[in-house]
Amino acid sequence: MKRICIVGAGFSGAVIARSLSEEGYECLVVDERQHSAGNCHTERDAESGVMVHKYGPHIFHTNDERVWNYINRFGEMMPYVNRVKATVKGQVYSMPINLHTINQFFGKSMSPAEAKSFIEGKARMDIQEPETFEEQGLRFVGDDIYQGFFAGYTRKQWGVEPSQLPASILKRLPLRFNYDDNYFNHPYQGMPRHGYTAIVENILDHENIEVRLDTKYERLNEEFEHIFYSGPLDRYFNYELGRLGYRTLDFEPVRAEGDYQGTAVMNYPDADIPFTRIAEHKHFAPWESGNFTKTIAFREYSRSCGPDDIPYYPIRLVEETQLLERYQERAAKEKNVTFVGRLGTYQYLDMDITIGLALDVAEKYLASAKQ
Ligand code: FAD
Ligand code: UDP
């Protein structure tokens, strides 16, 4: 039997490799980086000892029990609830927008019902079906909160006017008229005790899987029965039709003694502050954060992704969507190659969705191979 090649040792590649290897397939997993886990990679910072999320903070959350059971099979998940704060014009508020935020922002002490009708009085109720980010903001929270918390942050994050972005980006965030400040609505949420890389390494730990790090797919000169490609779709085709647009991130480290900001994530929506947020990584591991005397935080700056940068967020505006369709037509003609993951399908995918899709792709492949 010829081998299967899996490009990328992130969650997409690792989960597919595991499913196929358990059914007797020999899998070669290659990744050009020196580590597995892709953008979810975690490692201990040598100076402080803190577990750092190298490519930005990752919080695991899902409503998919299958995915929750899957991740728990490969590592211990510790209780963790994402509670985000935002500094707006020198005041600290609670995120996502909840009753505390609303009362604080307007200097009031309203009940849930009072706050709801107060915000409805400010909201642009004439916008029937919001299509853009801006319409979504104005329709649900009104101009004051929209300008304070969303307009500046979003311009910095995406580099375009919020009126050019789809409403779906803002729909990711809840709006609550109670004091629940959990950033997510999902029933399952947690952080891996030993980091994400340990989990991915456990997924890849199977006798039928060979992992080759520091290896570019383009350099391989072997025959494979099938290829699962979780690298960038446009890169596979040598960027022949042009580059799909991404935002990249720069992380500026801040080192301090003790506790730098007292919480894991502080957003900075103000337009005159160049970064979007500061993440202090020891607070992502509350079960061990007391062990460290030093701390490390990162200021996060977003900018357009150049050819040598790491692609983080796909920009799906009209231009990119048209180019994507042309690449997808090519991809469909590619025999024995399946494009997967956030880069292979050019989509923003959370980890749980990534794992669920990878399980589905592997299942489909196994079913078709049996026929
Ligand atoms: P990746 O993790 O990108 O893995 C792809 C791998 O392929 C990489 O390691 C790359 O080196 C390798 N590769 C690519 N091309 C080649 C090639 N030609 N040859 C060899 N190797 C190659 N999700 C959440 O659920 N919660 C969060 O809080 C969260 N926070 C996020 C924060 C940020 C800043 C970002 C950008 C994403 C966040 N995500 C979060 C999403 C999460 O990062 C993705 O779900 C996950 O990384 C997708 O895994 P993947 O395997 O598809 O891709
Ligand atoms: N957002 C914002 N202000 C905030 C937090 C989020 O304007 O304080 C916007 C921003 O455009 C972001 C989107 O809401 O891209 C979705 O937020 P989320 O926390 O899901 O951002 P991501 O995980 O993409 O960084």
Side-chain angles (χ1 to χ4, degrees), residues 95 133 149-150 153-154 158 169 172-173 183 267 313 348:
M95 285 294 276
F133 187 102
F149 292 88
F150 298 114
Y153 189 103
T154 298
W158 294 98
I169 296 182
R172 294 213 284 263
L173 297 191
Y183 204 72
N267 287 355
Y313 295 97
Y348 181 88

Side-chain angles (χ1 to χ4, degrees), residues 11-20 22 64-71 73-74 203 340 351-366:
F11 269 113
S12 295
V15 169
I16 293 171
R18 182 73 190 206
S19 294
L20 300 189
E22 285 178 350
D64 186 339
E65 200 179 341
R66 173 183 68 148
V67 168
W68 182 244
N69 291 339
Y70 188 87
I71 194 137
R73 197 183 134 198
F74 295 101
I203 297 174
V340 297
M351 291 179 280
D352 61 324
I353 306 293
T354 303
I355 293 172
L357 288 173
L359 288 169
D360 293 344
V361 162
E363 217 168 87
K364 205 170 146 199
Y365 180 77
L366 289 167

Side-chain angles (χ1 to χ4, degrees), residues 87-301:
T87 299
V88 176
K89 301 206 181 348
Q91 285 277 329
V92 177
Y93 296 95
S94 164
M95 285 294 276
I97 306 295
N98 62 68
L99 191 49
H100 203 167
T101 329
I102 297 166
N103 273 330
Q104 229 190 327
F105 191 76
F106 294 104
K108 295 188 180 293
S109 50
M110 294 178 280
S111 69
E114 286 165 348
K116 192 159 185 287
S117 66
F118 177 81
I119 290 294
E120 278 169 4
K122 298 203 162 271
R124 284 275 307 277
M125 302 304 272
D126 57 305
I127 303 172
Q128 303 272 329
E129 288 195 5
E131 283 182 8
T132 69
F133 187 102
E134 182 177 58
E135 285 173 356
Q136 176 74 13
L138 295 175
R139 166 68 181 79
F140 285 95
V141 291
D143 194 54
D144 300 323
I145 288 187
Y146 171 71
Q147 296 299 342
F149 292 88
F150 298 114
Y153 189 103
T154 298
R155 280 191 197 102
K156 289 191 282 187
Q157 171 81 357
W158 294 98
V160 293
E161 281 304 307
S163 55
Q164 288 176 264
L165 292 165
S168 57
I169 296 182
L170 187 51
K171 284 184 187 162
R172 294 213 284 263
L173 297 191
L175 162 66
R176 301 202 189 99
F177 295 103
N178 57 31
Y179 288 97
D180 180 0
D181 62 351
N182 184 345
Y183 204 72
F184 303 117
N185 279 329
H186 287 158
Y188 305 106
Q189 194 173 161
M191 263 309 168
R193 181 190 271 280
H194 303 293
Y196 290 100
T197 302
I199 290 199
V200 174
E201 282 172 354
N202 286 340
I203 297 174
L204 288 167
D205 183 16
H206 190 279
E207 56 186 5
N208 290 339
I209 302 179
E210 181 195 344
V211 181
R212 259 185 240 165
L213 299 175
D214 206 5
T215 305
K216 284 190 198 306
Y217 164 66
E218 292 79 0
R219 293 273 167 88
L220 291 181
N221 194 10
E222 292 164 49
E223 292 255 316
F224 298 101
E225 184 175 313
H226 198 91
I227 292 157
F228 291 90
Y229 181 88
S230 74
L233 178 60
D234 50 358
R235 174 171 167 180
Y236 181 89
F237 293 103
N238 251 323
Y239 307 105
E240 278 164 23
L241 304 173
R243 281 177 183 270
L244 288 164
Y246 279 95
R247 299 290 287 173
T248 192
L249 299 172
D250 294 320
F251 297 99
E252 181 189 4
V254 185
R255 292 186 180 276
E257 293 294 317
D259 196 352
Y260 178 67
Q261 63 179 12
T263 193
V265 181
M266 178 69 75
N267 287 355
Y268 286 87
D270 291 348
D272 56 354
I273 291 178
F275 46 86
T276 52
R277 58 182 179 177
I278 301 180
E280 185 175 2
H281 289 222
K282 68 158 75 167
H283 295 299
F284 290 124
W287 62 92
E288 63 172 29
S289 58
N291 301 347
F292 308 114
T293 55
K294 293 181 176 183
T295 191
I296 180 160
F298 293 89
R299 295 194 184 105
E300 209 169 301
Y301 299 80

